[in-house]
Structure formats: structure tokens, C-alpha cells
Amino acid sequence: MSLQQKTQALKARELAMKQRNEAIAERNEVIQNRKEREKSRQQFLKKRNEISEKAQQRRKELEELREKLLTKRKETIVVSNKKSDQKLLNDDYKTLNDIFKDVNKTVKEIEDENFKITSVRVSITREDGTKVESAEVY
């Protein structure tokens, strides 16, 4: 009996060692997979940050270009009936400037790389026939 028990014990020990080695191999594989996933994740995050920085830089460049173009714009004002009251003309001019401020805000929103606004024109005609026109060329 003793020899048979020793043989069974050895077989059980060999089986246990085999199972232990397989578990260690599986654990090492899991650890390696985690490392690879983390490396891929870090590369993805790095690439995402690079893209974000480039996009932010491009936005900044476009805004600087827009500001530069706005400083170069030319404004023209035409009044077709000069007999009108100076106060009314000043009010009309203020109204036109307010319209241009609103238009400039809108220009920011609708312009992109494929669509540029090159000029804007507004006019007011009062009942007495006085017409005030204003235009900006960018």
C-alpha cells in the first residue's frame, strides 16, 4: 500500500504543480494584456491631446486673422437728403452702427474656412425721404 500511496501522492503533486504553472501563466498573460491596454490607452490620450492642441491653435490663428481683417475694414456712409435734422441723422447713424455690431457678431458665427463675408451694407429710409446707407468692406 505504501508504494501505491506514494505513486498517487506523486501524481497528485505533479497535477497540482501543473495546475499551479498554468495559473501562473494565465496570470502573467492577464498582466501582459493589461500592460498592452494601458500602453494603447496612453497613446490614445496623447494623440487626443495633440489633436485638441492643434485645433485650439487653429482657432486662435483664425481669431487673430479675423481681428486683423476687422481692423482693416473700410466703412462708407452715404446720406441722400442733407436737409434733414442733424439730430435725426446722428440717431440714424447710431442705429446703423448698432446694426453693424449685431452683424459682426453674426459674422463670427457663420464664417468658416469655406465661407467668408467680404462686405455688408445697411440702409435706413425715413418717411421724409432721407436715406442713410452704410457699408463695410472686409
Side-chain angles (χ1 to χ4, degrees):
M1 269 315 244
S2 171
L3 186 57
Q4 190 178 8
Q5 287 175 342
K6 285 182 180 181
T7 304
Q8 287 176 350
L10 284 173
K11 286 182 181 178
R13 185 174 174 197
E14 285 177 11
L15 180 62
M17 290 296 285
K18 182 179 176 183
Q19 288 174 344
R20 180 176 169 258
N21 290 338
E22 288 174 358
I24 290 172
E26 286 178 17
R27 190 185 82 195
N28 289 339
E29 188 177 329
V30 168
I31 291 171
Q32 184 63 30
N33 287 341
R34 284 182 185 165
K35 287 179 183 179
E36 289 173 9
R37 280 195 310 265
E38 182 60 25
K39 183 179 177 182
S40 295
R41 182 179 162 277
Q42 291 299 326
Q43 289 173 341
F44 170 77
L45 291 174
K46 182 180 177 183
K47 187 68 171 175
R48 186 180 73 176
N49 289 339
E50 288 173 1
I51 291 170
S52 177
E53 288 173 6
K54 286 180 183 179
Q56 188 176 9
Q57 179 64 28
R58 180 68 178 147
R59 276 189 227 105
K60 184 180 176 183
E61 290 171 0
L62 289 173
E63 183 61 28
E64 288 172 357
L65 178 62
R66 187 189 155 290
E67 291 296 325
K68 185 178 175 182
L69 292 173
L70 283 176
T71 58
K72 290 182 178 181
R73 72 181 186 203
K74 298 177 183 177
E75 183 178 11
T76 306
I77 299 173
V78 177
V79 179
S80 61
N81 182 356
K82 294 187 179 183
K83 296 178 184 176
S84 194
D85 183 353
Q86 185 64 38
K87 183 181 180 310
L88 288 175
L89 290 175
N90 288 339
D91 290 344
D92 292 342
Y93 178 73
K94 183 181 179 311
T95 302
L96 290 176
N97 278 332
D98 290 343
I99 291 170
F100 269 114
K101 286 178 187 175
D102 291 340
V103 168
N104 283 332
K105 288 178 188 174
T106 305
V107 165
K108 285 182 193 178
E109 296 171 5
I110 61 174
E111 280 190 334
D112 62 20
E113 293 178 11
N114 299 321
F115 181 76
K116 299 291 181 203
I117 294 177
T118 57
S119 66
V120 177
R121 177 180 299 265
V122 294
S123 67
I124 296 176
T125 304
R126 282 194 264 119
E127 290 179 2
D128 67 356
T130 301
K131 184 174 183 178
V132 179
E133 294 179 312
S134 182
E136 286 186 358
V137 178
Y138 301 101

